[in-house]
Amino acid sequence: MGKIALRMVNIDKKFPGVHALKSANLEVGEGEVHALLGGNGAGKSTLIKILGAIYQPDGGEIYIDDKLVKLEGVRDAQRYGISIIHQELMLFPELSIAENIFIGEKPENYGYVSKKDIEARAQKILDNLNVEFDSAWLVSSLSLAQQQIIEIIRAVSFNSKIIVMDEPTSSLSKNEVAMLFDIIRKLKKNGVSVIYISHKLDELFEISDRITVLRDGETVGTVTTKETTEDELIRMMVGRDLSNFYVRTEGKGSSEVVLSVKGLEKQGVFEDISFELRKGEILGFTGLVGAGRTELMEAIFGIRSYDQGEIFLNGTKLDIKAPKDAIEAGIVLVPENRKEHGLILRNTVGFNMTLTVLKDFIRGIRVDKGAERSIMDEYKKTLGIVTPSYAQIASKLSGGNQQKVVLAKWLAKKPVVLILDEPTRGIDVGAKSEIYALMNDLTKQGVSIIMVSSEMQEVMVMSDRICVMNEGTISATFEKEDFSQEKIVAYSVRRN
Amino acid sequence: MKRNRIMILAAVLVFVLAMSATTFAAGYKFGFTAMTMNNPFFVTIEQAIRAEVEANGDTLITLDTRQDMATQIQQIEDMINQGIDLLFLCPVDSFGIQPALDMLKAAGIPVVNFDTDVADRDMVNTILVSNNVNAGYVVGQDLVERFPNGAKIAILDAPYAEACVQRVQGFMEALGGDDKYQIVAQQNGKGDIGESLPIAEAILQANPDLDVFFAINDPSALGALSAVKSAGLLNQVTIYGVDGAPDAKASIKEGGLTATGAQSPINIGLQSLEVAYRILAGEEVEKEIKVPTFLIDASNVDEYGTEGWQ
Amino acid sequence: MATDLLNSRKNHGLLGFFKKNIAIVTGLIVLCVVLSFASPYFLTRHNIMTLLRQISTNAVLTLGMMMCIMIGGIDLSMASVVALSGTLTAVLISRLGMSIPMAIILGLASGAVCGLFSGLFIAYVKVPAFIATMAVMNVARGAAYLATNANPVRITLDAFNNLGIGFVAGVPLPVIYTIVLVILVALFLNKTRMGRYIYAVGGNFEAARYSGINVKAVQITVHVLSGFLAAFAGIVLAARMYSGQPAVATGWELDAVAASVLGGISLFGGTGSVASAMIGVLIIGVLQNGLNLLNVNSFWQLIVKGIVILIAVSFDMIRSRKADK
């Protein structure tokens, strides 16, 4: 190993309610491709945002070329030669490659920019990296991968010494990945360090020199790629013990199948999805962010369309074209994004609670206030919603209470199948355990639950069975007795 | 924040009061309403009347209808409620003004109708109009003189205004129904420079051999002039307007417009006011007063000047 | 209003309404008091009836506009639909000799069709409401000119014209129609399922969709109603003018927007009540009438109106920014 280009030591970062980074360490050599690996919420993106000076750390030190630095703003990070390439590209499609590369440059010459001049300069950089583009091409004429390359070249043009790539291959084809790797190898030869974030283990083995694994905001360790194995990496990503705070009190349900999905496919999103949901069971769906879990559930609920496949409820084939069809059949979805999809935040708690059951108390222009009230009272009690009144604006409630309002809206509909997408995201521990208790109760009453969750503890403890999703397919299904964190993580990250 | 809003509303009110500068003078209170106050023609009439009215210690209330019939009716209602003694009226539409005339009659307010006459002439005391037929006629005569062998003509009209219809009628009379004068296009230029420009451009596209534009007023003619200029056809196309507006006269002097069938808003204003005082004095007045019209072209434009209306 | 409905203890009835809308109610009262001192004509019975009749058109337009704004859109075609329905009814009666009820029904239908058109494009093609209704604005205005050859069409049947100029117990008929429509729309918004769906779609389009609400049906319904209300206003206006005027009402849609915004209908959608929107209509109407009575120069009137609208919108922006915090 040659010179050390970057050292991040004991980085600490707290957000309200979350301790995102506890003691994260990262060391990257000059001309090294260094991979950063970790599960959902391990702290990878927080660490990178601190490096890019988007967040300020609460503790720890950053050394660049062995000099202690303080990165106070995005400009500082740029000055030290740090470039971050985000998953969403930030290019101007209607400008040429050359114009995109030099867009941030301060104009000299009274703002006059000579096209020829910048095109020549851009061409030089392109040639240098053996990229066979003409710098006068419009970015909109390039493929996504080619655009990504332009984004990288832009970073090189700033004389970046450290380039961070956040999931750069998530939308690329095999050939395009190869092209990207060629560029990375050339950068490496020029002494540029690359920090490469990805879940895809096979890619890490192909391109990286070393791998640092993060878990729960801490650096678990750094290994040399050549000397490690997939199994070792997975062991590092998985935590050891689970707390027994949550309990699945009910049994695993009956053997009676309620919902059955056969060969569901949406091109480019998910394919060949088949599973069964039994009466009174909790079926966990886990996998990495972007594995297609939410999209699958939204297709079953009728928010998204699917290309082929069949959905059966109690043996009857359903033709689901819109949420209305799913709801009428008894399938409801508590969405992942509470504020955007779950609630009318600007309206009242009562309005939100009864939105799905207006038919039960409004006929024509007659509103049966008594019936309305009793529905609201019933679910306020069942769910333990804490609100000063039903006229309270929903946005003023805590996250946990907001989630209970969304649940109330759907429980009032008396569902057969309840799909919960990340049911406890962003809510406090108390509300969490209340929601788990409710799930136990509901399954006891015969409701079947699909729980999509990225939280390992939640999935392991609350599910009766677990489906693991990976790149749009179900890569494995586990019975309760076979649950193992290692296996779940392995099926989440391995390419099939 | 609520208190702020109240404060601001109060401030607006004070502002409004300051602007209004209401005077409750003892003399006569006249109302003035024309189809639009964006046209200097009506502004000139209003100013001619206002100067005299204020010199006599009386009051003139003017509201802008912005070419909207319903707005004009509402404003007349407001004027009636304000207790005007007489209304100077140029209707947005000759028929549509009827409900307002009914209300004025019910309130016993005499009406001096000017420029564009109302359809139900019994409802007004007198009608002062420029001789619109003649204004079109003198233009037509000039055209016949300049193009004895015939011409291809495009007309920019405004068919909802009676005065404009009469101008076209006079114009056609002067042409004498001769086949050699071909009307190749006739479209609604809305009497507006901005509206007329693109229409004139389209007409020129369709008729590259056009000889003459006849527009029912000067703004519309100036719109046609812009179109002709940008098509580079100024030497080929002769453009006529009607009104005799200052900028049209300036254009005639510079060799843009060829001629305009001029009316005299100052005379319309002064004659309207004179007849108004006679009505208020209880005198019988003529039902219709024709204010003369005449041709202004390069030969006589200096007589009338280009600074204001004649 | 949805808030009022659900909270049976606080804020109920008239008192609650005044509490919630203290600023605009006070504004209106201050405006009236100042005007009655400034102009001896303002408080006359005749002027008040005139005023009410004058605002009746904007009130009806505002009912439609507020619903469009509540679902996060706008209806720029309203004023053109006023012209179209008025001229169409006039043509059917005067030129084609159709019976008055039939002509009115077809006139109303023309507005509903215009609304359906905008609604379909907004719901299915996802054209922004601003653009869709602007397109219909041009189509409707063009159709009004075509139907009449750009000439006003006179109506000589007193039976029709009396619908616009008549009185019942000293109250102008247009005022009575407006009161009836205001009550109907208020009932619709507060007492029906569709009414609540409108609040839901406006409050959060995606959440409404995730709740199984047929959001397309809501968008189309609102625009059809808006077109229908505009057509109603157009027919009454035609009766008041004894004629169908193709050039009438230009820019009136903006008065309806102004009244809605003054009346606390948030441009962000999802909130507002008929009653407060009507206060907005009254403020605009009283301001206009007052400025006329005070003989304020027409050009200054435009400036005053612009400033009032700007202030109202600014408050909406500030209010919603505070609510988001």
Side-chain angles (χ1 to χ4, degrees):
Chain A
M1 182 75 24
K3 256 177 73 186
I4 301 298
L6 167 74
R7 272 197 302 142
M8 297 177 81
V9 181
N10 286 329
I11 304 292
D12 185 281
K13 178 72 188 171
K14 290 191 192 80
F15 292 111
V18 188
H19 201 162
L21 290 175
K22 285 161 201 157
S23 70
N25 293 288
L26 180 66
E27 186 190 87
V28 182
E30 196 179 271
E32 181 194 1
V33 178
H34 193 110
L36 202 52
L37 184 64
N40 300 325
K44 289 168 301 188
S45 53
T46 309
L47 187 64
I48 290 314
K49 281 181 179 149
I50 286 171
L51 181 59
I54 295 166
Y55 295 153
Q56 291 303 311
D58 296 325
E61 285 139 20
I62 300 173
Y63 298 87
I64 290 175
D65 290 335
D66 278 330
K67 271 192 298 243
L68 180 65
V69 295
K70 200 155 166 45
L71 304 173
E72 286 187 327
V74 179
R75 290 257 160 214
D76 278 350
Q78 275 173 4
R79 211 179 43 225
Y80 287 111
I82 300 165
S83 279
I84 298 182
I85 295 156
H86 295 277
Q87 277 165 297
E88 306 84 35
L89 298 179
M90 299 180 183
L91 294 174
F92 299 89
E94 293 311 318
L95 294 182
S96 72
I97 292 177
E99 284 165 323
N100 266 286
I101 290 177
F102 294 114
I103 194 103
E105 204 172 63
K106 274 213 188 95
E108 282 155 30
N109 227 342
Y110 307 105
Y112 173 74
V113 182
S114 154
K115 249 189 166 160
K116 267 198 188 134
D117 178 44
I118 61 165
E119 276 170 15
R121 281 164 60 205
Q123 198 61 49
K124 222 169 162 182
I125 301 174
L126 291 169
D127 294 345
N128 212 6
L129 290 165
N130 290 349
V131 179
E132 291 172 350
F133 297 162
D134 186 322
S135 64
W137 288 349
L138 287 189
V139 161
S140 57
S141 68
L142 303 178
S143 74
L144 200 58
Q146 292 170 328
Q147 292 189 20
Q148 206 142 24
I149 286 165
I150 300 306
E151 186 98 48
I152 292 166
I153 288 169
R154 184 155 83 182
V156 174
S157 80
F158 294 147
N159 289 322
S160 298
K161 286 182 289 183
I162 300 166
I163 298 179
V164 183
M165 300 185 192
D166 190 358
E167 299 268 9
T169 61
S170 54
S171 50
L172 301 191
S173 73
K174 269 214 164 81
N175 284 341
E176 292 170 336
V177 171
M179 192 157 129
L180 176 70
F181 283 2
D182 272 350
I183 303 256
I184 292 178
R185 289 192 189 101
K186 265 167 215 134
L187 290 174
K188 198 174 136 118
K189 226 176 261 164
N190 295 343
V192 176
S193 309
V194 175
I195 300 175
Y196 189 93
I197 302 174
S198 177
H199 290 305
K200 298 174 183 168
L201 295 184
D202 51 349
E203 287 180 3
L204 301 191
F205 278 100
E206 187 183 341
I207 193 72
S208 71
D209 299 311
R210 288 191 300 164
I211 302 171
T212 292
V213 180
L214 284 180
R215 188 182 67 225
D216 299 334
E218 285 175 77
T219 298
V220 182
T222 299
V223 293
T224 304
T225 310
K226 277 185 194 138
E227 294 161 7
T228 189
T229 62
E230 283 198 8
D231 289 338
E232 186 186 358
L233 290 175
I234 289 166
R235 259 199 308 282
M236 287 169 76
M237 286 168 73
V238 170
R240 271 148 301 269
D241 38 68
L242 299 173
S243 87
N244 286 326
F245 185 70
Y246 319 115
V247 198
R248 171 83 173 119
T249 53
E250 295 308 310
K252 51 194 285 185
S254 69
S255 58
E256 186 190 330
V257 172
V258 175
L259 179 76
S260 151
V261 173
K262 288 181 184 160
L264 213 60
E265 178 174 334
K266 171 79 186 173
Q267 214 196 333
V269 184
F270 52 80
E271 57 182 5
D272 192 26
I273 299 286
S274 297
F275 68 90
E276 288 180 341
L277 176 68
R278 297 167 192 158
K279 190 171 165 102
E281 98 170 323
I282 298 178
L283 177 61
F285 260 81
T286 189
L288 296 168
V289 171
R293 298 167 303 174
T294 296
E295 292 80 358
L296 169 64
M297 295 310 155
E298 288 183 351
I300 293 171
F301 183 60
I303 289 277
R304 289 165 184 267
S305 63
Y306 50 88
D307 302 330
Q308 52 177 314
E310 293 168 318
I311 299 168
F312 295 88
L313 188 71
N314 290 323
T316 316
K317 190 179 166 192
L318 299 181
D319 184 20
I320 297 174
K321 292 207 178 75
K324 181 173 67 90
D325 303 323
I327 294 165
E328 271 167 21
I331 302 172
V332 305
L333 170 77
V334 174
E336 175 184 11
N337 192 331
R338 185 165 55 235
K339 287 184 198 295
E340 275 172 31
H341 299 151
L343 285 171
I344 320 284
L345 282 175
R346 251 175 273 159
N347 222 308
T348 64
V349 171
F351 179 91
N352 274 288
M353 286 174 76
T354 54
L355 193 54
T356 56
V357 289
L358 297 184
K359 276 195 180 117
D360 296 353
F361 61 91
I362 299 183
R363 295 241 154 67
I365 59 160
R366 278 201 39 235
V367 180
D368 183 344
K369 293 219 172 197
E372 181 182 21
R373 186 89 195 187
S374 70
I375 293 170
M376 295 191 292
D377 286 344
E378 180 185 346
Y379 290 97
K380 183 179 181 218
K381 193 166 154 244
T382 311
L383 289 153
I385 297 172
V386 181
T387 174
S389 81
Y390 294 125
Q392 176 76 356
I393 301 297
S395 62
K396 302 263 156 78
L397 294 190
S398 69
N401 276 304
Q402 285 182 357
Q403 184 72 340
K404 287 178 186 173
V405 171
V406 182
L407 278 164
K409 171 171 90 172
W410 287 121
L411 294 187
K413 199 71 198 167
K414 310 247 184 309
V416 180
V417 173
L418 175 64
I419 304 173
L420 304 172
D421 194 351
E422 303 286 0
T424 61
R425 171 167 293 173
I427 68 179
D428 63 84
V429 180
K432 240 178 183 176
S433 62
E434 283 177 276
I435 285 174
Y436 295 138
L438 177 79
M439 287 164 69
N440 282 326
D441 268 3
L442 288 169
T443 52
K444 195 171 166 188
Q445 292 159 28
V447 177
S448 309
I449 295 178
I450 296 176
M451 177 183 70
V452 175
S453 174
S454 300
E455 213 178 300
M456 189 56 80
Q457 289 189 352
E458 183 171 285
V459 177
M460 295 283 288
V461 174
M462 291 306 295
S463 309
D464 298 318
R465 289 186 303 143
I466 297 174
C467 291
V468 183
M469 282 190 76
N470 185 1
E471 303 203 3
T473 61
I474 295 178
S475 54
T477 303
F478 297 102
E479 296 292 331
K480 187 117 196 167
E481 49 274 21
D482 303 328
F483 284 5
S484 123
Q485 285 196 67
E486 275 84 359
K487 282 194 213 158
I488 289 172
V489 171
Y491 278 100
S492 304
V493 295
R494 278 195 175 116
R495 278 213 165 172
N496 301 312
Chain B
M1 191 192 80
K2 282 174 181 166
R3 204 170 303 140
N4 278 347
R5 188 193 281 217
I6 296 165
M7 297 269 287
I8 289 172
L9 265 171
V12 168
L13 283 168
V14 170
F15 171 75
V16 166
L17 284 174
M19 287 330 301
S20 66
T22 346
T23 46
F24 297 108
Y28 288 125
K29 192 188 276 181
F30 296 103
F32 180 95
T33 174
M35 56 176 77
T36 173
M37 294 307 281
N38 282 341
N39 186 337
F41 178 78
F42 294 110
V43 176
T44 306
I45 296 178
E46 199 261 356
Q47 282 168 348
I49 295 176
R50 179 174 294 279
E52 281 294 306
V53 164
E54 287 175 357
N56 294 338
D58 297 329
T59 326
L60 181 70
I61 300 166
T62 304
L63 293 171
D64 183 7
T65 62
R66 296 186 290 282
Q67 298 264 25
D68 195 311
M69 193 61 252
T71 306
Q72 189 169 41
I73 292 176
Q74 289 190 358
Q75 291 180 341
I76 292 172
E77 286 172 350
D78 286 341
M79 286 184 184
I80 294 171
N81 288 343
Q82 238 173 308
I84 53 169
D85 296 301
L86 180 141
L87 179 69
F88 296 105
L89 168 71
C90 164
V92 170
D93 170 53
S94 307
F95 289 109
I97 195 66
Q98 192 64 36
L101 296 177
D102 290 346
M103 285 184 281
L104 286 160
K105 182 157 207 171
I109 296 170
V111 178
V112 173
N113 178 200
F114 65 92
D115 186 58
T116 301
D117 56 351
V118 301
D120 189 351
R121 299 162 75 101
D122 293 340
M123 302 294 285
V124 296
N125 297 59
T126 183
I127 302 167
L128 281 104
V129 281
S130 283
N131 196 335
N132 280 306
V133 175
N134 185 57
Y137 192 83
V138 293
V139 169
Q141 271 184 322
D142 187 69
L143 188 154
V144 171
E145 274 170 36
R146 279 174 210 260
F147 295 89
N149 300 323
K152 291 193 169 170
I153 302 162
I155 298 176
L156 295 172
D157 61 6
Y160 51 82
E162 195 57 30
C164 300
V165 175
Q166 288 171 0
R167 291 170 190 179
V168 175
Q169 185 196 329
F171 177 75
M172 299 303 282
E173 270 171 32
L175 299 185
D178 197 328
D179 284 347
K180 64 187 177 185
Y181 297 110
Q182 236 185 307
I183 309 296
V184 295
Q186 180 162 3
Q187 290 198 43
N188 184 359
K190 298 181 184 171
D192 179 89
I193 185 163
E195 299 277 355
S196 297
L197 171 59
I199 294 171
E201 278 174 337
I203 290 174
L204 283 172
Q205 281 288 323
N207 305 283
D209 55 348
L210 191 77
D211 298 309
V212 175
F213 265 115
F214 171 62
I216 46 71
N217 69 2
D218 284 340
S220 192
L222 290 169
L225 175 65
S226 300
V228 169
K229 269 187 185 164
S230 57
L233 295 174
L234 196 54
N235 290 329
Q236 176 195 318
V237 184
T238 298
I239 306 160
Y240 291 109
V242 175
D243 275 351
D247 46 354
K249 286 187 287 182
S251 177
I252 289 170
K253 197 170 175 182
E254 291 160 8
L257 297 187
T258 305
T260 181
Q263 27 178 358
S264 170
I266 294 178
N267 287 340
I268 295 173
L270 293 178
Q271 289 192 32
S272 295
L273 186 62
E274 187 222 304
V275 76
Y277 280 122
R278 276 167 52 205
I279 292 167
L280 291 172
E283 287 176 35
E284 277 295 311
V285 295
E286 312 85 310
K287 191 75 203 177
E288 182 165 321
I289 302 167
K290 287 260 186 225
V291 185
T293 50
F294 44 90
L295 192 79
I296 297 179
D297 63 8
S299 67
N300 64 355
V301 64
D302 286 334
E303 287 175 39
Y304 300 102
T306 55
E307 289 299 309
W309 283 83
Q310 48 283 338
Chain C
M1 268 324 251
T3 318
D4 292 349
L5 263 187
L6 288 164
N7 192 340
S8 47
R9 267 168 299 155
K10 287 185 258 171
N11 272 359
H12 71 113
L14 216 53
L15 193 67
F17 175 76
F18 284 128
K19 260 190 203 160
K20 249 177 86 181
N21 295 289
I22 179 89
I24 50 172
V25 172
T26 317
L28 180 61
I29 292 169
V30 171
L31 194 61
C32 290
V33 169
V34 171
L35 280 175
S36 50
F37 280 107
S39 167
Y41 312 108
F42 179 71
L43 269 190
T44 57
R45 206 189 89 86
H46 195 257
N47 188 54
I48 288 172
M49 282 305 154
T50 307
L51 171 66
L52 287 176
R53 187 167 57 194
Q54 285 179 357
I55 65 168
S56 63
T57 309
N58 192 28
V60 174
L61 295 184
T62 300
L63 288 174
M65 186 64 81
M66 67 170 281
M67 286 193 277
C68 292
I69 294 177
M70 274 170 54
I71 61 166
I74 196 163
D75 187 354
L76 295 180
S77 69
M78 293 195 90
S80 295
V81 172
V82 165
L84 175 63
S85 67
T87 50
L88 184 70
T89 309
V91 166
L92 292 175
I93 292 175
S94 296
R95 300 242 170 102
L96 304 180
M98 196 176 272
S99 74
I100 292 172
M102 197 59 208
I104 290 176
I105 288 170
L106 287 178
L108 292 172
S110 73
V113 167
C114 285
L116 179 67
F117 214 67
S118 317
L120 286 173
F121 274 89
I122 292 164
Y124 285 95
V125 194
K126 314 270 180 239
V127 179
F130 186 89
I131 305 294
T133 60
M134 189 167 71
V136 172
M137 167 177 99
N138 287 317
V139 171
R141 184 67 74 177
Y145 279 122
L146 273 180
T148 57
N149 205 8
N151 285 311
V153 178
R154 204 173 166 194
I155 304 168
T156 45
L157 286 181
D158 285 343
F160 180 80
N161 294 338
N162 284 337
L163 295 175
I165 58 167
F167 288 83
V168 167
V171 183
L173 276 175
V175 176
I176 292 173
Y177 305 145
T178 304
I179 292 170
V180 171
L181 285 174
V182 165
I183 292 170
L184 286 178
V185 172
L187 284 176
F188 171 69
L189 281 177
N190 294 316
K191 300 277 179 182
T192 67
R193 288 201 290 275
M194 184 53 86
R196 291 213 187 177
Y197 291 158
I198 289 171
Y199 280 100
V201 167
N204 184 341
F205 183 87
E206 283 301 313
R209 202 163 74 92
Y210 274 79
S211 299
I213 293 169
N214 188 342
V215 289
K216 293 189 175 82
V218 173
Q219 288 174 313
I220 291 169
T221 305
V222 165
H223 281 277
V224 168
L225 284 175
S226 172
F228 178 88
L229 288 165
F232 186 94
I235 292 169
V236 174
L237 197 61
R240 284 194 58 202
M241 296 189 294
Y242 310 163
S243 58
Q245 299 272 341
V248 84
T250 310
W252 288 13
E253 68 276 1
L254 298 182
D255 282 348
V257 173
S260 303
V261 173
L262 266 175
I265 309 293
S266 170
L267 287 173
F268 298 93
T271 57
S273 75
V274 172
S276 66
M278 289 304 117
I279 303 275
V281 171
L282 279 167
I283 291 178
I284 295 268
V286 169
L287 196 64
Q288 183 84 58
N289 176 261
L291 292 172
N292 282 349
L293 290 186
L294 292 177
N295 195 15
V296 175
N297 179 310
S298 299
F299 302 131
W300 277 112
Q301 291 196 11
L302 287 176
I303 292 171
V304 170
K305 218 154 106 181
I307 291 172
V308 170
I309 293 167
L310 200 61
I311 291 169
V313 177
S314 303
F315 273 111
D316 183 36
M317 295 293 160
I318 293 164
R319 188 169 45 194
S320 92
R321 211 178 311 142
K322 275 193 183 155
D324 285 348
K325 269 180 194 163

